[in-house]
Amino acid sequence: HGNSLGEKEIPLQRQSAEYPENALWSRGGVTFATLHIVGSNNNRVTTLPNGTVVGNDAEYEARNAANIAWMRETFDAARANSSPGVMLVIQANPFEEDIATPSGFTGFKAALEEEVTSFDGPVVLVHGDSHTFRIDKPVISETRPPNFTRVETFGSPDVDWVRATVDPRDDAVFSFEPEIVEENVAP
């Protein structure tokens, strides 16, 4: 437990001392959560094209199980509180086309798809990692649920930001607007 950082702190529920990155909070009845899902195949053992082996399967398996459990708890809390929407925030891009085999995102995406399809409101997954700003409705695991939206934030060299508006009275709940920082526009 504890509070967020920032000028106006908000109370957070933390999954555990072992996974403090996994946090949950509610604002205006809308449910938000962070999950510690990282790039480089979610730290699952991967052989790079140059033959270097990276990752740690034991760390990946324990953290992935904790992330999936936390995501399920997030949706349980959202349903219990009649939340109009859920926003999940992670670091990795689990939808990259060059995902390693075996993918470190398969279990997460299957669980996400189950939760999204059984939730009545809009669900947004915000991530970074591949440095391409986009807002779309990708196939999660096997389906493209109409209530699911992916927002990928800007990344270097385009260091801009995305304004998220959350209105629990609006059926869409979430809306997004890219904000370009003129001083950061890449040549």
Side-chain angles (χ1 to χ4, degrees):
H1 293 38
N3 290 332
S4 68
L5 300 175
E7 187 175 324
K8 294 183 180 182
E9 294 179 0
I10 58 172
L12 301 176
Q13 180 182 343
R14 303 270 185 190
Q15 183 179 25
S16 66
E18 188 175 7
Y19 298 106
E21 302 90 344
N22 292 355
L24 172 67
W25 66 98
S26 177
R27 297 288 285 180
V30 178
T31 304
F32 299 84
T34 54
L35 303 165
H36 190 51
I37 299 175
V38 298
S40 299
N41 202 32
N42 205 9
N43 202 35
R44 190 168 189 180
V45 170
T46 304
T47 303
L48 301 176
N50 68 5
T52 303
V53 177
V54 297
N56 178 323
D57 277 343
E59 185 281 332
Y60 153 77
E61 289 172 11
R63 184 176 38 75
N64 192 55
N67 285 328
I68 291 170
W70 190 242
M71 180 181 60
R72 292 194 188 284
E73 285 184 45
T74 297
F75 278 94
D76 289 347
R79 287 183 196 93
N81 296 325
S82 299
S83 180
V86 173
M87 179 182 284
L88 303 173
V89 182
I90 66 175
Q91 186 272 325
N93 177 357
F95 303 104
E96 285 186 299
E97 306 212 358
D98 63 347
I99 293 295
T101 302
S103 171
F105 302 108
T106 302
F108 166 72
K109 291 192 321 184
L112 175 63
E113 189 168 85
E114 288 174 18
E115 294 296 338
V116 169
T117 57
S118 67
F119 186 73
D120 290 333
V123 177
V124 173
L125 177 70
V126 178
H127 70 80
D129 195 22
S130 46
H131 302 246
T132 302
F133 168 69
R134 65 184 122 200
I135 300 172
D136 62 4
K137 295 189 164 292
V139 169
I140 298 176
S141 182
E142 296 179 10
T143 65
R144 187 184 318 271
N147 64 324
F148 179 72
T149 302
R150 175 257 296 266
V151 176
E152 182 172 358
T153 61
F154 290 96
S156 181
D158 299 311
V159 185
D160 300 301
W161 59 287
V162 180
R163 180 184 307 273
T165 301
V166 182
D167 184 349
R169 298 163 298 178
D170 182 342
D171 288 343
V173 181
F174 305 102
S175 61
F176 301 93
E177 187 70 32
E179 297 288 347
I180 306 302
V181 178
E182 291 302 322
E183 295 84 12
N184 295 343
V185 173

